Amino acid sequence: MSPIEITLALLLFATIMFVWERIPLALTAIIVCLALVLTGVLDAKSAFNGFINTNVILFVGMFIVGGALFETGMANRIGGLVTRFAKTERQLIVAIMVIVGLLSGVLSNTGTAAILIPVVIGIAAKSGFSRSRLLMPLVFAAAMGGNLSLIGAPGNLIAQSALQNVGLEFSFFEYAKIGLPLLAGGIIYFAFFGHRLLPAGSSKAIAGETEVTRDFSSVPKWKQVISLMVMVATILGMVFESAIGIPLHITACVGAAFLVLVGVLTEKQAYRAIDTQTIFIFGGTLALASALEQTGAGATVASNIMALLGSEPSPVLLLVVIFFISCALTNFMSNTATTALLVPIGMSIAANLGADPRAVLMAIVIGGSCAYATPIGMPANLMVLSAGGYKFADYMKCGLPLILVAGVIAIPLLLVFFPFFPS
């Protein structure tokens, strides 16, 4: 078998095993990673490079920073403030999605999710609602909010760089022409329909909530104050990443190290806060994403589908196909990798058709953000996998309808604001 065939076979295997869940998800990811090495598709260094990815480092740092909020009881106190204003589960979902979506427009969507996941778990503990009903809307809102500005998600800047090479560019809030209605549509979807598809909550999630609601009266107040101050400082560090020149993952690690250094958390508490399942799944599946990119398997699939459309496809059909190819790939590769893969293909398509490349790239970026149907499509999805007690199928059940909603909203708006052949 060729490297492309092996990669696509392993993609199929991973998809089946992730849905079937007869073996742990992390083990499936490691099996795929090992298979890529044993078959020679990737060398060991490339295959295991995902375990030192900057997002993994960000996960570790934010798990510890978030863990401090729980260990000190500060997450419970914050949750109590929010639940005074949002009394029902649906109100909580809407409030969380609005806050997360707007923050994701000016922060990294992964960073926003990492910051607010512990806060929302605290809200769940204080309100009595299952965290599995709140965490999935949170990460989906983070993905949608990434479409509000040029800096909301890495894929936005990848498309911008490609445009600048041909003398074009998107303005800072131009993505919001599609992203803001998309976020509004996602909130409406969860408020009136999507909340019914959310899992009721597993014993694992409920057990975690019981742990969070323990008595914190013996915790010194200075620990609560410092845990909150470190969280706020971490947020500010992420907001002003460009100004201070410190990457997100380093900011998170500085916060985590400081908490242990001053005694807010013990070393053992910091280790316990790290979700190792997330690390193994993310690291293992990044190897598959690398194989899809390096072997050309992803590009081959995309190119073959485009070839089926003929030499002069209608703009509407072309837009729909580009959008849903992006949606499909982003749920099995990272949204950043999907955009990086499809942007050069999109530029070639635009050049061959004489179309506006802005229209093609906007469709790719928006479609690439729709990583709702699997836990591996976006780092934030994986961050809540264990905390919410989710199964792979939970993402499909709730995320696939949301992708359709996104398509219904985005495609007409793309045709209006970014026509392929502007007059």
Side-chain angles (χ1 to χ4, degrees):
M1 295 175 69
S2 69
I4 289 178
E5 291 171 335
I6 293 171
T7 301
L8 293 177
L10 288 172
L11 174 61
L12 179 62
F13 166 78
T15 303
I16 293 171
M17 297 310 296
F18 281 148
V19 174
W20 197 17
E21 289 198 70
R22 290 301 297 269
I23 60 176
L25 298 181
L27 181 56
T28 296
I30 294 301
I31 289 171
V32 170
C33 185
L34 291 171
L36 289 167
V37 176
L38 293 173
T39 56
V41 174
L42 294 177
D43 59 52
K45 183 177 180 180
S46 298
F48 288 94
N49 191 53
F51 291 96
I52 56 170
N53 180 274
T54 55
N55 277 319
V56 171
I57 298 170
L58 174 64
F59 289 168
V60 171
M62 290 311 300
F63 280 140
I64 295 172
V65 172
L69 291 182
F70 293 115
E71 291 294 337
T72 62
M74 181 53 72
N76 262 28
R77 294 185 64 179
I78 295 171
L81 292 174
V82 175
T83 52
R84 290 181 187 178
F85 302 99
K87 299 297 185 183
T88 68
E89 180 186 81
R90 215 185 308 191
Q91 288 175 351
L92 274 175
I93 290 173
V94 170
I96 289 167
M97 292 188 73
V98 169
I99 293 168
V100 173
L102 293 178
L103 282 177
S104 292
V106 292
L107 285 171
S108 152
N109 49 15
T110 302
T112 301
I115 290 164
L116 293 179
I117 284 168
V119 177
V120 169
I121 295 177
I123 291 171
K126 194 70 176 178
S127 65
F129 296 117
S130 171
R131 64 174 72 172
S132 64
R133 308 281 294 173
L134 303 178
L135 290 176
M136 195 173 286
L138 181 155
V139 294
F140 290 172
M144 290 182 278
N147 293 323
L148 295 184
S149 78
L150 195 60
I151 62 172
N156 301 6
L157 291 171
I158 291 172
Q160 179 79 334
S161 297
L163 279 179
Q164 288 173 339
N165 289 336
V166 295
L168 299 171
E169 64 180 11
F170 292 124
S171 64
F172 188 81
F173 286 114
E174 197 153 12
Y175 285 102
K177 292 178 180 178
I178 313 297
L180 193 58
L182 209 60
L183 175 61
I187 294 171
I188 293 169
Y189 162 78
F190 272 105
F192 293 98
F193 176 71
H195 69 280
R196 299 175 186 172
L197 302 177
L198 292 166
S202 68
S203 58
K204 185 175 182 179
I206 293 170
E209 287 165 14
T210 302
E211 181 184 353
V212 172
T213 55
R214 68 180 188 267
D215 181 20
F216 295 102
S217 59
S218 62
V219 178
K221 190 166 184 179
W222 69 267
K223 288 189 176 184
Q224 295 184 337
V225 172
I226 290 180
S227 69
L228 182 60
M229 289 175 62
V230 170
M231 175 64 83
V232 172
T234 302
I235 293 173
L236 291 174
M238 291 180 174
V239 170
F240 297 106
E241 177 188 13
S242 299
I244 64 177
I246 302 176
L248 300 181
H249 60 286
I250 299 300
T251 299
C253 288
V254 169
F258 180 80
L259 287 166
V260 177
L261 187 65
V262 300
V264 174
L265 289 178
T266 66
E267 185 181 3
K268 288 185 177 179
Q269 286 174 325
Y271 289 145
R272 282 202 305 267
I274 299 170
D275 184 351
T276 52
Q277 182 192 40
T278 296
I279 304 303
F280 277 102
I281 294 174
F282 188 78
T285 53
L286 271 186
L288 183 58
S290 296
L292 284 167
E293 184 177 359
Q294 291 183 26
T295 64
T300 298
V301 171
S303 299
N304 286 339
I305 293 174
M306 295 306 303
L308 295 176
L309 298 177
S311 58
E312 295 183 3
S314 75
V316 175
L317 178 61
L318 182 62
L319 177 65
V320 170
V321 171
I322 289 173
F323 180 83
F324 283 107
I325 287 176
S326 299
C327 289
L329 287 179
T330 196
N331 281 285
F332 297 98
M333 301 170 64
S334 77
N335 43 9
T336 304
T338 297
T339 306
L341 171 71
L342 293 180
V343 159
I345 297 173
M347 292 296 289
S348 297
I349 291 170
N352 291 338
L353 296 176
D356 183 352
R358 296 166 75 255
V360 179
L361 296 197
M362 182 62 75
I364 289 171
V365 170
I366 298 297
S369 71
C370 296
Y372 315 135
T374 71
I376 62 175
M378 187 174 66
N381 290 7
L382 272 175
M383 294 179 76
V384 299
L385 180 67
S386 295
Y390 296 126
K391 296 182 180 298
F392 193 96
D394 292 328
Y395 289 85
M396 295 186 68
K397 182 179 179 182
C398 204
L400 284 176
L402 184 57
I403 290 174
L404 294 177
V405 169
V408 169
I409 294 171
I411 289 171
L413 291 174
L414 286 166
L415 290 170
V416 171
F417 291 117
F418 301 96
F420 274 57
F421 303 104
S423 56

